Amino acid sequence: MINTYDAHFVSKTELAPNIYKLTFKLSEELIFKAGQYLIFMIPHEDKLIRRLYSIASPHFHTQGVDIIAHIIEGGIASTRFATLSEGDVLQVQGPAGVFTLRENARPKMFLATGTGIAPILSILQSTLTESGEAAPRMMLFWGLRTKSDAYYVDELNGLVARYPSLDVRICLSRESADTLEGISDIYMPGRIDSVLSNRS
């Protein structure tokens, strides 16, 4: 069921160039499935413009949510997000969407690029925290351009270290093996398709 909430802005953290984590506290408890999204109602020229953002935080965080936003100059939502102050209120609707994990023991493979990582972060954190050693085998391939574009790396490395069922590869299309030598094994040079091909 889609409900309407007041989303009180809490904080904004820059994760990478023009990529921000925005945290909101909702007026009521939000019950959602990892992978779902919220509909933000953005005031613009005496109208409310709908913009959809996946929830990046795990489903057991019911009082507040994190989203990941690419701030684009001139964008309607970007312009509003860039000027938010603590305590500002936006109207949101949700939860919505069916990009959720089927509960079975089959291995799971996730492919994402850019901020498309947001719902997968929610799924990984939710599933691994709840299932622990019983979690199915999960593989994440996340495509970005360079090391400077990557974020949540410490969190992902922490999940990999804690849960042997998880394998993560950040695929960097504008990096070479030489530029990645000696840093975390989580990074791989090349696009997702080339990294996948080299694994087969």
Side-chain angles (χ1 to χ4, degrees):
M1 180 179 179
I2 294 181
N3 296 316
T4 300
Y5 304 86
D6 287 336
H8 299 257
F9 178 66
V10 176
S11 63
K12 178 172 62 180
T13 303
E14 187 171 19
L15 302 173
N18 299 318
I19 305 295
Y20 290 85
K21 179 182 77 171
L22 282 73
T23 299
F24 295 88
K25 183 176 177 60
L26 302 186
S27 55
E28 299 177 33
E29 183 179 45
L30 175 69
I31 305 300
F32 69 98
K33 293 182 178 180
Q36 292 190 298
Y37 61 84
L38 292 175
I39 303 163
F40 280 75
M41 313 300 288
I42 308 296
H44 179 70
E45 296 180 351
D46 299 323
K47 296 184 294 185
L48 289 176
I49 306 299
R50 294 156 56 96
R51 290 293 184 267
L52 281 52
Y53 286 88
S54 293
I55 301 169
S57 43
H59 78 278
F60 45 80
H61 288 181
T62 58
Q63 294 297 329
V65 294
D66 298 332
I67 64 168
I68 298 174
H70 183 187
I71 302 299
I72 302 171
E73 186 175 356
I76 293 174
S78 294
T79 299
R80 184 66 188 105
F81 287 161
T83 59
L84 284 173
S85 298
E86 184 178 354
D88 285 353
V89 178
L90 293 176
Q91 195 175 71
V92 300
Q93 295 177 332
V98 294
F99 181 66
T100 56
L101 195 65
R102 293 186 178 181
E103 296 183 9
N104 57 50
R106 294 178 180 175
K108 319 293 182 187
M109 179 180 290
F110 302 96
L111 309 179
T113 58
T115 57
I117 192 65
I120 297 172
L121 287 172
S122 179
I123 290 171
L124 291 179
Q125 293 176 89
S126 299
T127 304
L128 291 168
T129 301
E130 284 200 337
S131 302
E133 294 183 0
R137 176 74 174 164
M138 294 190 287
M139 294 165 283
L140 167 62
F141 295 87
W142 180 20
L144 297 166
R145 293 176 301 174
T146 68
K147 296 191 298 289
S148 64
D149 295 318
Y151 45 92
Y152 279 97
V153 176
D154 289 343
E155 290 84 352
L156 288 170
N157 271 320
L159 289 174
V160 169
R162 185 173 179 183
Y163 301 103
S165 61
L166 176 64
D167 184 19
V168 174
R169 292 292 180 265
I170 301 178
C171 310
L172 303 174
S173 62
R174 297 188 183 178
E175 300 282 3
S176 66
D178 291 339
T179 62
L180 298 177
E181 186 176 359
I183 65 173
S184 174
D185 292 339
I186 205 171
Y187 294 117
M188 299 290 289
R191 298 180 183 275
I192 291 176
D193 55 353
S194 64
V195 173
L196 283 170
S197 296
N198 291 335
R199 288 175 60 92
S200 57

